[in-house]
Amino acid sequence: MKLELQSIQYNAALSEETYAYSAKLYADGKHVADVANRGHGGWDEQYWRDHSARQAIEAYFATLPKHDTGYQLKGEPFMTQPDLESWSNEQVERFVLLKTIKAACRKKVVGIIGTDQYTFKFDPDKLDTPYSDGQTARQLFIKRNPGLTILNGLTDDEMMEAIRPQSGAEQSR
């Protein structure tokens, strides 16, 4: 099953304990629900357009393995079952993170080495322009900063993969 959140509207000012957002949920290319959260720590609101899709989505999440939360209860690992709400939260988190990174990439060169983030005051539009010796600024940045991954110009999935070790963000299913 392919799930997507589209038309995400995020409001940072209203986000207190949870993300304040609204979005359209698509399952296998079909708009099946509208989802939202008011940002005050409550549950997501789900307005189903297709109730049979709800049953199929709930059954899909029930087949996924449980996640270790990192906590213990009476000495046993506390596990949680993925569900539509936790998945939606991950998708909104991804949306907010990508929006932040892309805003930074419009003004500066943004990169990471391991868990360290770097920004360089350099016009990102000139990053791949070759100099007289044939090298580009991108190549020079990487040569001078071993292990540097420059985020400018990467696809959304490539950015998420590059920052995964430092953010703990999960890639969309």
Side-chain angles (χ1 to χ4, degrees), residues 55-137:
Q55 293 170 339
I57 290 169
E58 288 173 355
Y60 165 74
F61 281 110
T63 67
L64 297 177
K66 292 184 176 186
H67 291 275
D68 186 346
T69 63
Y71 296 102
Q72 291 191 356
L73 184 63
K74 296 183 181 180
E76 295 293 320
F78 186 72
M79 308 292 280
T80 60
Q81 181 67 44
D83 61 8
L84 178 59
E85 185 159 355
S86 63
W87 176 85
S88 296
N89 188 280
E90 290 170 6
Q91 299 309 300
V92 174
E93 181 177 17
R94 173 185 164 101
F95 171 82
V96 171
L97 186 57
L98 287 170
K99 184 177 176 179
T100 303
I101 292 169
K102 288 176 181 181
C105 285
R106 282 192 291 276
K107 298 177 182 177
K108 297 179 181 178
V109 173
V110 180
I112 58 169
I113 299 174
T115 59
D116 298 325
Q117 302 172 22
Y118 298 90
T119 57
F120 303 93
K121 277 190 163 185
F122 187 84
D123 183 352
D125 292 334
K126 297 180 180 174
L127 196 54
D128 295 311
T129 303
Y131 292 114
S132 59
D133 65 356
Q135 289 192 5
T136 64

Side-chain angles (χ1 to χ4, degrees), residues 1-4 25-33 48 53 56-57:
M1 172 174 292
K2 183 179 181 195
L3 296 176
E4 293 178 279
L25 174 66
Y26 284 79
D28 298 324
K30 181 181 175 190
H31 180 197
V32 295
W48 291 92
I57 290 169

Side-chain angles (χ1 to χ4, degrees), residues 8-78:
I8 297 172
Q9 299 294 315
Y10 166 72
N11 189 322
L14 295 178
S15 297
E16 293 178 8
E17 295 182 26
T18 54
Y19 291 114
Y21 79 96
S22 65
K24 295 181 184 306
L25 174 66
Y26 284 79
D28 298 324
K30 181 181 175 190
H31 180 197
V32 295
D34 295 314
V35 294
N37 192 301
R38 296 173 194 261
H40 300 291
W43 298 101
D44 281 1
E45 299 166 14
Q46 301 170 352
Y47 304 98
W48 291 92
R49 298 167 54 111
D50 180 344
H51 291 282
S52 65
R54 178 183 187 167
Q55 293 170 339
I57 290 169
E58 288 173 355
Y60 165 74
F61 281 110
T63 67
L64 297 177
K66 292 184 176 186
H67 291 275
D68 186 346
T69 63
Y71 296 102
Q72 291 191 356
L73 184 63
K74 296 183 181 180
E76 295 293 320
F78 186 72

